[in-house]
Amino acid sequence: MNLLTILVSTVFVNNYVFARFLGICPFLGVSQKTETATGMGLAVTFVITMASAITYLVYHSILDPLGIGYLQTLTFILIIASLVQFIELVIRKMSPSLYNGMGVFLPLITTNCVVLGVTIINIQDNLTFLDSVINGLGASLGFFLALILLAGVREKLELADVPEALKGVPIALVSAGLMSIAFSGFSGLV
Amino acid sequence: MKLSNIFKNGIFKENPVLVQLVGLCSVLAVTTTTVNGLSMGLAVTAVLLGSNIVISLMRNIIPDKIRIPAFIVVIATFVTLLEMFLNAYMQSIYNALGIFLPLIVVNCTILARAESFASKNSVVPSMVDGLGMGLGFTFAVTVLGIVREVFGNGTFLGGTDFVINVFGEAYPGAGILVAPAGAFILLGIFIAVFNVVLNKKKKTN
């Protein structure tokens, strides 16, 4: 498959958040402000792209030859957890303000199902090394885009007169639904 | 806390999906039909029960600093077992849940219960907590599955031998409810309704 096709397809057409429902927890959790959303998006982009590369190598050079493919879930989640730990260390050193902004959600990237989801889909669909990395990059950019868009909408919603029961997450979910309809307009693009 | 209270907590006051808002990915993805929703709920309940039991048994052995990775390994083990079991005995459910089966590992409900309950309580309360939270999750996904299937497709229990055409054969189906957008919007409305009901109950008490 053409690399550009993979990228456009994962960012717009089969957006992992809107079409595959991966990464909903952070999508709702850190989308209140565009600033934290940007930080989270960047961290996730880095983790997913790296994780795609590493899990590919581990699966095809260790798990598969040894015939222990069933350890896939266990191994991948450990790889992702250590990657996240590493990034947490780096961000704490380089930008304490970003670190404070992301707060509890940074360690939670481990349990962000986009990360594990992408790595498993890479193996399932039998992608090559380069395809896997691009698929990871596209998935995380798609996640980034969805996160920033929702954050923008939610900042405006703060000022809107929303019915009491719908305040907070319910109205965010309804907005996400409307965005999902908009994104379905991209289908047929690739 | 009394055991019955722990149990009820998981279903109502601290319902993982409708109140704590965790584990929403699988909630949105697999609730296109009643059967899929129900089987996802039961799968999560099984893993939650297993991981809560094992983690509460090992809570004094696991060093505090590496507890999160340790919890994840326990959870991943149960998920792998479940995956193999379903693949061997219930192929149709295995195929319907697809990638969301391994993704139970990262369902925040399970890690959250391990961290906030099982690692601090003995086995019996942890078991009850796992069961309550699991059934609370099952309740939410099943209701969502029923609504989406009945109004989106016009069927009930589709994919089994007991299919009922609720609105007759001619029902055109509200495709939006089965599409991703419908899942988001319905869940939002469902959470709002559940909140209203809970608040009313609180006031009358």
Side-chain angles (χ1 to χ4, degrees), chain B residues 43-58:
Chain B
V44 169
T45 310
V47 174
L48 197 52
L49 192 61
S51 74
N52 259 12
I53 292 174
V54 170
I55 286 167
S56 80
L57 282 174
M58 303 202 307

Side-chain angles (χ1 to χ4, degrees), chain A residues 17-18 20-25 28 70 73-74 77-78 110-111 113 116-117 120-121 165-166 169-170 173 176-177 180-181, chain B residues 21 23-25 28-29 72-73 76 80 83-84 99-100 102-103 105-106 108 111 176 180-181 183-185 187-188 191-192 196:
Chain A
V17 175
F18 293 127
R20 300 208 202 202
F21 301 115
L22 293 172
I24 304 293
C25 288
L28 294 172
Y70 57 85
T73 315
L74 197 64
I77 193 77
L78 286 177
T110 314
T111 53
C113 41
L116 187 62
I120 294 178
I121 287 174
L166 280 171
V169 171
L173 275 167
S180 167
I181 297 178
Chain B
L21 310 167
L24 296 183
C25 304
L28 293 165
I72 290 182
V73 171
T80 308
E83 228 180 309
M84 288 169 153
I99 182 146
F100 287 93
L103 286 184
V105 179
V106 287
C108 336
L111 190 63
I176 181 92
F184 281 112
I185 296 173
L187 182 63
I191 292 171
V196 170

Side-chain angles (χ1 to χ4, degrees), chain A residues 2-106:
Chain A
N2 190 326
L3 295 182
L4 191 65
T5 318
I6 298 183
L7 205 58
V8 173
S9 146
T10 45
V11 176
F12 296 109
V13 186
N14 290 316
N15 186 293
Y16 273 72
V17 175
F18 293 127
R20 300 208 202 202
F21 301 115
L22 293 172
I24 304 293
C25 288
F27 176 59
L28 294 172
V30 285
S31 60
Q32 264 139 339
K33 285 205 188 98
T34 35
E35 202 179 316
T36 35
T38 316
M40 182 69 173
L42 284 175
V44 167
T45 308
F46 187 66
V47 175
I48 297 186
T49 316
M50 294 281 286
S52 295
I54 298 175
T55 51
Y56 179 90
L57 294 176
V58 168
Y59 186 84
H60 287 281
S61 56
I62 302 176
L63 296 184
D64 206 24
L66 291 178
I68 45 173
Y70 57 85
L71 285 181
Q72 181 192 351
T73 315
L74 197 64
T75 327
F76 284 12
I77 193 77
L78 286 177
I79 293 174
I80 293 166
S82 10
L83 250 181
V84 169
Q85 198 90 57
F86 170 72
I87 289 169
E88 199 182 335
L89 283 176
V90 172
I91 293 186
R92 185 151 42 172
K93 232 356 304 145
M94 309 230 304
S95 164
S97 62
L98 191 60
Y99 180 78
N100 289 332
M102 285 196 271
V104 66
F105 288 99
L106 202 55

Side-chain angles (χ1 to χ4, degrees), chain B residues 2 17-18 22 29 56 63 78 81-82 90 96 99 105 152 158 186 188 194:
Chain B
K2 277 207 327 237
V17 177
L18 302 171
V22 289
S56 80
F78 275 105
L81 284 175
L82 182 78
M90 295 173 199
I99 182 146
V105 179
L186 266 185
F194 195 77

